[in-house]
Amino acid sequence: AQSVTQPDIHITVSEGASLELRCNYSYGATPYLFWYVQSPGQGLQLLLKYFSGDTLVQGIKGFEAEFKRSQSSFNLRKPSVHWSDAAEYFCAVGEGLTGGGNKLTFGTGTQLKVEL
Amino acid sequence: DTEVTQTPKHLVMGMTNKKSLKCEQHMGHRAMYWYKQKAKKPPELMFVYSYEKLSINESVPSRFSPECPNSSLLNLHLHALQPEDSALYLCASSQEGGTEQYFGPGTRLTVT
């Protein structure tokens, strides 16, 4: 069965500093990988996705992620964090369902705090 | 337009009430989902609809009853809920296959 591990429950960075959020996955085939962000009491917003091809993917809000098959990782990065980036970040792996649709398996999330 | 809308934003109901949550999307997606999210936890999949047919029921108690009247609408009917059912209920939609899901803002449900 597929699984996702986000080893860091909480991360605090200073505004303007760089950021890296870790994600490790377990999946038998080539995975579909996603990063979502959630502000308090809100829905999830898709930051970026990886299906195939270039292992460095660019997303919205200046985020990028790198797929490393050898390490089963899909870490999220941002060169300079803004105070508005404070939120919960979820890594997810997806698989298609026989009956239609697809199933996302989420990591436990990383809470990002930004110090001004 | 990548918007999924959900109504109401907040709902408070007693354990004997019957209420419904509504979700709507106009992106032409043919798969729709219900998730339950407790505080400080990731979303948990409840139901998947594909082409208006129930595809997945993740062993959800029968007090939750989903309905997909057409390809744009998804409802979740609630009856005789328990206080532990209080959570954020998220709706999502996607194209067919292993693609990304787009989430609505959620309905914050409190069962008293």
Side-chain angles (χ1 to χ4, degrees), chain A residues 38-39 41-44 88 90 106-108, chain B residues 34-46 85-90 103 105-109:
Chain A
Q38 186 178 33
S39 297
Q42 301 298 312
L44 278 71
E88 187 86 22
F90 292 101
F106 289 91
T108 50
Chain B
W34 280 115
Y35 288 84
K36 173 182 178 181
Q37 186 180 26
K38 302 286 276 185
K40 307 294 185 184
K41 298 290 186 182
E44 299 174 10
L45 182 65
M46 300 174 71
D85 296 321
S86 298
L88 182 67
Y89 288 83
L90 294 164
F103 285 80
T107 293
R108 173 69 62 187
L109 174 67

Side-chain angles (χ1 to χ4, degrees), chain B residues 9-15 17 19 21 78 81-89 107-112:
Chain B
K9 292 187 186 302
H10 301 276
L11 178 63
V12 179
M13 60 185 292
M15 290 189 285
N17 291 158
K19 297 287 185 183
L21 309 184
L78 314 172
L81 295 191
Q82 303 298 309
E84 59 265 29
D85 296 321
S86 298
L88 182 67
Y89 288 83
T107 293
R108 173 69 62 187
L109 174 67
T110 303
V111 182
T112 61

Side-chain angles (χ1 to χ4, degrees), chain A residues 32 34 36 38 41-46 49 51 90 95-97 99-104 106-109 111, chain B residues 31 33 35 37 41-43 45 48 50 55-56 58 88 90 94-101 103-105 108:
Chain A
Y32 296 134
F34 309 89
Y36 284 87
Q38 186 178 33
Q42 301 298 312
L44 278 71
Q45 182 180 24
L46 178 67
K49 61 190 179 188
F51 292 161
F90 292 101
E95 65 174 332
L97 297 171
N102 59 82
K103 180 173 183 177
L104 292 179
F106 289 91
T108 50
Q111 180 71 48
Chain B
Y33 311 78
Y35 288 84
Q37 186 180 26
K41 298 290 186 182
L45 182 65
V48 180
S50 177
S55 171
I56 295 286
E58 292 282 64
L88 182 67
L90 294 164
S94 74
Q95 298 176 9
E96 276 300 295
T99 63
E100 64 269 31
Q101 295 181 18
F103 285 80
R108 173 69 62 187

